[in-house]
Amino acid sequence: MTNANTLPFQTLRDLLRYAVTRFNTAQLFFGHGSANALDEAAYLLLHTLKLPLDKIEPFLDARLLPHEIDAAIAVIERRATDRIPASYITNEAWLGTYNFYVDERVIVPRSFIAELIPERFTPWVQDPEEVTDILELCTGSGCLPIMLADAFENAHVDTVDISKDALAVAAKNIATYELEDRITLIESDLYTNIPDKLYDMIITNPPYVNSHSMSKLPKEYLHEPQIALAGGDDGMDLVRKIVAGAASRLKPNGILMVEIGNERVFAEEAFAEYGLTWLSTSAGDDMVFLLTAEQLQEAS
């Protein structure tokens, strides 16, 4: 039953205004899907009220039932007080048009590689139809292999994570998209347990946050598995292993693509001898680098 604290609220517009003020007052950090307090509030309220996520205007002045108000305020307070990322509250995250189940066993999906997949990595992949084998490392929720399987219809994707919990979440998402026959989940510390085969491409969004940045992460990020974020002193601990092992696992015309977020300076220092190719994304030209099998072979 609605209590005294909820009596001032009657419409979705009332709750939206309150949520924006509450989020701004709490100085929340928005880095898990929404860009600001208004977008986050609208998403959480629409999801809680089981309304279309892309249509708020028709419902703004609709009067809400007491239990709907209670549910909405509970969500607002959970986000503002506990600083839990919205995706953990709703158990969903979006990458483009793809919707994924998430919980605290995996980091909230966010990837600039995801922006490049619909274009099938043109011009680096000359004939997408000839791509038959893809390896994806550090899969988390399984979002990238699902998108890769969709984009490269003739490919089988081997996808790896060291965390059993993460693989359980990935399995749930892979089943939702009915891709069990095209994606193989592998529990492995990077290359340790992968099949003895060569791949057309190795794709990875690994832990890459440097230790200084880890110590200053907003509270929202502390709800995520830290093993999926921390990349050592310069953020390159796992990236070094990935690059070092790629040459022997790629086909002659294969490519390695690695997302490193804001760590371009450290990446260029770590791999100065390679001559990294930086790919353009919505955040600029310093989030994702590419190496060809030929480059890797020459440097090995």
Side-chain angles (χ1 to χ4, degrees):
M1 180 178 295
T2 304
N3 57 45
N5 291 330
T6 64
L7 289 175
F9 304 105
Q10 294 184 328
T11 67
L12 178 55
R13 189 185 299 274
D14 294 336
L15 286 170
L16 182 65
R17 197 286 307 162
Y18 171 74
V20 172
T21 299
R22 185 76 179 88
F23 292 172
N24 284 332
T25 301
Q27 297 184 320
L28 300 185
F29 183 84
F30 306 103
H32 293 94
S34 299
N36 52 60
L38 177 59
D39 290 347
E40 186 108 313
Y43 165 69
L44 283 171
L45 290 171
L46 290 169
H47 187 279
T48 302
L49 297 171
K50 306 297 189 295
L51 296 172
L53 297 181
D54 59 345
K55 294 180 181 178
I56 194 170
E57 289 293 334
F59 308 104
L60 278 173
D61 295 310
R63 289 180 179 270
L64 302 179
L65 297 171
H67 74 271
E68 292 177 319
I69 296 174
D70 287 339
I73 289 179
V75 165
I76 293 168
E77 291 308 308
R78 190 177 179 203
R79 178 69 182 94
T81 302
D82 298 334
R83 304 290 289 265
I84 296 173
S87 290
Y88 290 157
I89 296 174
T90 63
N91 290 127
E92 73 171 14
W94 292 82
L95 278 180
T97 60
Y98 291 79
N99 177 273
F100 302 103
Y101 171 86
V102 295
D103 59 33
E104 287 85 348
R105 292 174 290 177
V106 296
I107 63 170
V108 177
R110 47 192 183 273
S111 174
F112 293 106
I113 290 177
E115 299 177 5
L116 306 173
I117 293 175
E119 299 175 2
R120 303 201 285 184
F121 304 142
T122 303
W124 302 104
V125 175
Q126 295 185 352
D127 188 352
E129 303 301 320
E130 292 186 358
V131 174
T132 57
D133 297 284
I134 300 173
L135 175 63
E136 194 260 345
L137 301 172
C138 309
T139 194
S141 61
C143 54
L144 291 184
I146 289 169
M147 298 179 71
L148 288 164
D150 264 1
F152 297 94
E153 297 179 355
N154 296 326
H156 187 90
V157 185
D158 289 332
T159 188
V160 171
D161 207 290
I162 196 172
S163 167
K164 289 183 179 179
D165 285 342
L167 290 172
V169 175
K172 182 179 179 70
N173 284 315
I174 290 167
T176 297
Y177 283 91
E178 299 181 344
L179 288 167
E180 297 98 323
D181 61 334
R182 298 195 46 223
I183 301 175
T184 299
L185 290 165
I186 303 170
E187 182 183 348
S188 179
D189 182 359
L190 300 179
Y191 301 112
T192 305
N193 297 326
I194 67 167
D196 184 16
K197 61 189 284 190
L198 297 180
Y199 294 92
D200 297 287
M201 60 181 73
I202 300 172
I203 308 296
T204 182
N205 182 13
Y208 54 69
V209 182
N210 69 71
S211 57
H212 177 73
S213 296
M214 284 293 297
S215 68
K216 296 187 174 182
L217 286 177
K219 292 180 180 178
E220 281 81 355
Y221 288 96
L222 301 182
H223 291 279
E224 297 184 294
Q226 300 301 283
I227 190 176
L229 297 172
D233 286 347
D234 63 354
M236 296 295 111
D237 283 5
L238 268 73
V239 181
R240 286 186 181 88
K241 295 178 181 179
I242 291 168
V243 171
S248 62
R249 294 170 173 88
L250 282 172
K251 297 177 183 179
N253 294 321
I255 59 171
L256 167 68
M257 189 177 298
V258 184
E259 183 165 338
I260 49 82
N262 297 311
E263 308 292 348
R264 176 169 179 167
V265 171
F266 287 123
E268 290 188 328
E269 289 178 357
F271 309 111
E273 72 273 25
Y274 288 94
L276 304 178
T277 297
W278 293 93
L279 307 184
S280 296
T281 70
S282 61
D285 300 336
D286 53 4
M287 300 290 173
V288 179
F289 72 75
L290 180 144
L291 287 166
T292 65
E294 183 179 1
Q295 287 177 293
L296 290 162
Q297 290 285 355
E298 289 175 353
S300 61

